[in-house]
Amino acid sequence: DTGVSQDPRHKITKRGQNVTFRCDPISEHNRLYWYRQTLGQGPEFLTYFQNEAQLEKSRLLSDRFSAERPKGSFSTLEIQRTEQGDSAMYLCASSSQGLVDTEAFFGQGTRLTVV
Amino acid sequence: ILNVEQSPQSLHVQEGDSTNFTCSFPSSNFYALHWYRWETAKSPEALFVMTLNGDEKKKGRISATLNTKEGYSYLYIKGSQPEDSATYLCAPRGLSNTGKLIFGQGTTLQVKP
């Protein structure tokens, strides 16, 4: 499969625990995005990488959230000291930099439940 | 780009009905508009990327139009089938070079056989 893959698909954690999610983008894509989707809402932008550089972070991304893309390939999103409000679907997307009509390709997401 | 609105929020139709949804967005700072279909337990799937005022795109029974001057796009589904049941998301892109998408809340379509 050459699409965007995310791991794990589901994560249940206790409040206060740390969690880490992984995203493997399409190999030739240099752009990588993280989004968060909660019930009844569309996905909200969290952060953007071009290669290994994190170039934009949403104000939604509190200091408990950190994302990395160490070698410009896979990315991780870590949430420290999880809260119930962090329960959501976390989506990763990748795209190539180029024409105006470039599509972003999404993974299936990681559904986080904080109990 | 802020304030992306989609209507209706949800829709139930019978198989064979044709239907349409609306996406409204601020017309300033417009760069492109993306439509996605998101089926339960799957990845959001790109349907269209539209850039020019008056653009009209078609994929099978699904088509979309774009009006950048007044800030709206319509998605049409002709002869809905149960497999069209999904959430349809629109996402305009602004003039920043990041490719960041700002999504509407989506329209959830349920097609009854």
Side-chain angles (χ1 to χ4, degrees), chain A residues 30-91:
Chain A
N30 62 344
R31 293 182 163 186
L32 186 145
Y33 308 85
W34 285 98
Y35 292 84
R36 178 174 65 190
Q37 188 256 344
T38 53
L39 195 64
Q41 301 297 317
E44 296 173 302
F45 170 78
L46 292 179
T47 191
Y48 157 65
F49 288 86
Q50 182 157 313
N51 300 310
E52 65 275 10
Q54 187 175 21
L55 296 184
E56 187 171 349
K57 290 198 297 186
S58 166
R59 283 171 285 180
L60 292 174
L61 214 63
S62 78
D63 56 7
R64 296 184 298 106
F65 287 70
S66 62
E68 293 183 341
R69 193 181 183 197
K71 297 181 181 178
S73 56
F74 74 91
S75 175
T76 57
L77 178 68
E78 181 183 15
I79 309 174
Q80 296 183 324
R81 305 181 302 282
T82 52
E83 302 172 356
Q84 286 188 319
D86 297 330
S87 297
M89 173 74 84
Y90 290 84
L91 290 164

Side-chain angles (χ1 to χ4, degrees), chain B residues 12-70:
Chain B
H12 296 255
V13 302
Q14 290 294 134
E15 181 176 354
D17 287 350
S18 294
T19 188
N20 65 85
F21 326 134
T22 304
C23 172
S24 301
F25 52 89
S27 54
S28 60
N29 197 34
F30 176 84
Y31 188 64
L33 184 91
H34 297 242
W35 278 101
Y36 282 85
R37 174 171 60 200
W38 194 2
E39 295 178 65
T40 303
K42 294 188 178 180
S43 312
E45 172 199 357
L47 288 173
F48 305 113
V49 182
M50 309 177 78
T51 57
L52 299 175
N53 185 45
D55 243 358
E56 187 168 338
K57 296 212 170 179
K58 189 174 181 183
K59 185 186 269 189
R61 294 178 292 98
I62 304 177
S63 60
T65 60
L66 178 66
N67 183 321
T68 60
K69 292 184 178 178
E70 296 183 39

